[in-house]
Amino acid sequence: MADRILVLGGAGYIGSHVQKQLLEDGFEVIVFDNLSSGDKVNILSGAKLIVGDILDIEAIDKAMSLGIKGVVHLAAKKAVGESMIKPEIYASNNLTGSINILNSMAKHNVRYIVFSSSAAVYGMPKYIPIDEEHPICPINYYGYTKRAIEENMEWYKKLGKLNYVALRYFNAVGYAKDKSITGRERNPQNLMPIIMEAATGKRDGFSIFGNDYETKDGTCVRDYIHVSDLARAHSLSLKKLFETDCSYTLNLGTGIGTSVKEIVDATEKVIGKKLNYDYAPRRSGDPAILTAKASKATEVLGWKPIYTNVEDIISTVWNLEI
Ligand code: UDP
């Protein structure tokens, strides 16, 4: 019988791609999502959807008692700026919600969790590329919530309750190539969906935040990782947990640095037209360069990103529009 996986936040952008990968890999998938930012259209046939909130302990307990072998937890608020203005929302959803999940797992003897963490746990880079040994010093409340849950998973592990894989994502972009996931993020805060809204006329234009960084062209450099590559790492992580009963913390990135300007230029090339943008002041808290050393994920999981060309990645987003 196929192992049954509970995907918390499985209707969201990354979660829905994880759902797809798990189905393709022969897992049975139950998505648990409050649909606050996720979308029902992202639920594929073959997956079951439970509409529920991770702050509702009864609802989580009910889902957790369905013979779950492993959990993938991506149910979280993720807007960095908002986390600094309304920390209480992040404390409830990301901290209390996640503790509810760990407690429910312990109660129902569900031993395995893959947790969606973030490069935001590192804060300002002391060196580049960032490996997992890099000092941890989040500079925004969102990053703090991710770190706090990593620490709690470490404690629950020490106390014999579970094993975990914490996946520290760099910049997730792209959509499934086969166009099976179509739900767009509402009110996006990240560069790629904002550019796409400009490309499709949903917004007039956009700003590049800062052109005076010490980088190749003055704009910030990030490590853009395709969401299908990210998704594959979750499936591999579950298999690794089941096989080894050990815990791991892994960066997920390509190691390739791409500047904001390069993303904009590549998008113009892919869509075949000019975009309307201007240069605005730096956004506070943005490091100039953030790239990953993700060789540990290769060693532990045998994982490697397939998408390494930024135009290929952008094409998977643009393909949804044409
Ligand atoms: N960015 C930008 N204009 C926007 C949104 C983002 O220039 O409208 C820049 C941002 O300053 C950063 C990069 O794009 O250098 C990626 O930002 P995003 O918010 O997507 O991800 P982050 O790196 O903050 O996790």
Side-chain angles (χ1 to χ4, degrees), residues 246-280:
C246 292
S247 294
Y248 307 89
T249 298
L250 307 171
N251 282 345
L252 293 180
T254 60
I256 301 166
T258 307
S259 75
V260 176
K261 182 68 167 57
E262 284 173 330
I263 292 280
V264 173
D265 291 348
T267 307
E268 287 183 338
K269 213 165 146 196
V270 169
I271 70 176
K273 61 180 179 197
K274 290 283 168 200
L275 290 163
N276 180 31
Y277 63 91
D278 60 12
Y279 287 98

Side-chain angles (χ1 to χ4, degrees), residues 83 91 94-95 120-121 137-152:
S83 78
N94 296 13
L95 296 178
V121 300
C137 188
I139 55 163
N140 51 62
Y141 191 68
Y142 163 76
Y144 163 72
T145 65
K146 291 293 173 185
R147 178 58 188 160
I149 299 310
E150 285 187 358
E151 286 179 336
N152 274 281

